Amino acid sequence: MFGSGNPEADLVVIGEGPGADEDAQGLPFVGRAGQLLTRMLASVDLAREEVYITNAVLCRPPGNRNPEADELAACAPFLADKLGVMQPKVILTLGSVATQALLRTKEPIGKLRGRLHQYGDAVLIPTFHPAFLLRNPGQDYKRMAWDDLKLAKREYDARRTR
Ligand code: URA
């Protein structure tokens, strides 16, 4: 499974890896976390069809465990190639796995979110993974995620060319 949405998008959203629902349908973010992602994007007036959505790993890790380093490394060239071809202006990473993989850091997501990072010529904005938000329904995380989405939208509006 690779991605879905607009292959010419200036905004690319990158999650962790397919879960059972995504594996069955061959599309990213179609389960519960995906439904929340749709609402998160809609909260800043972004439609799923307008952006491109993909994952740091392209195959479902058994039992929904986090992808291991060699699995991330095996998929990294595909993602890098895709981003190289698409040349998005803004990348929104969801959760620590995707964020740490793209930024090549071990810093926790709580420290990485809330500010802009550079990925090639693109600006990269990390936020919490929607599955984490579903497991931790407190208002604090939700508000922080919304701040990140607003930041991503602001950068997208400022930088988009298409
Ligand atoms: N979680 C992810 O990180 N990616 C998906 O595609 C679905 C759930």
Side-chain angles (χ1 to χ4, degrees), residues 1 16-34 55 57-65 129 131:
M1 182 239 287
E16 184 176 311
D21 296 321
E22 289 75 22
D23 208 28
Q25 293 192 42
L27 289 169
F29 281 103
V30 290
R32 253 172 41 92
N55 280 304
V57 295
L58 306 175
C59 300
R60 179 178 181 228
N64 259 354
R65 63 160 167 72
H129 195 288

Side-chain angles (χ1 to χ4, degrees), residues 16 18 28 40 52 63 74 94 132 160:
E16 184 176 311
M40 288 165 74
Y52 190 76
L94 305 175
F132 171 86
R160 60 186 293 195

Side-chain angles (χ1 to χ4, degrees), residues 128-142:
F128 297 115
H129 195 288
F132 171 86
L133 295 172
L134 288 171
R135 289 194 305 271
N136 299 274
Q139 288 305 308
D140 282 359
Y141 291 125
K142 210 172 154 184

Side-chain angles (χ1 to χ4, degrees), residues 114-116 125 146-155:
R115 58 196 167 94
L116 307 178
I125 295 151
W146 194 40
D147 285 343
D148 299 333
L149 265 294
K150 286 187 288 192
L151 184 59
K153 179 63 161 45
R154 193 189 74 195
E155 291 299 314

Side-chain angles (χ1 to χ4, degrees), residues 58-91:
L58 306 175
C59 300
R60 179 178 181 228
N64 259 354
R65 63 160 167 72
N66 282 356
E68 286 169 6
D70 61 333
E71 293 163 343
L72 284 160
C75 293
F78 294 99
L79 189 57
D81 274 4
K82 185 78 181 169
L83 293 172
V85 170
M86 287 187 70
Q87 295 283 324
K89 300 286 187 283
V90 181
I91 298 172

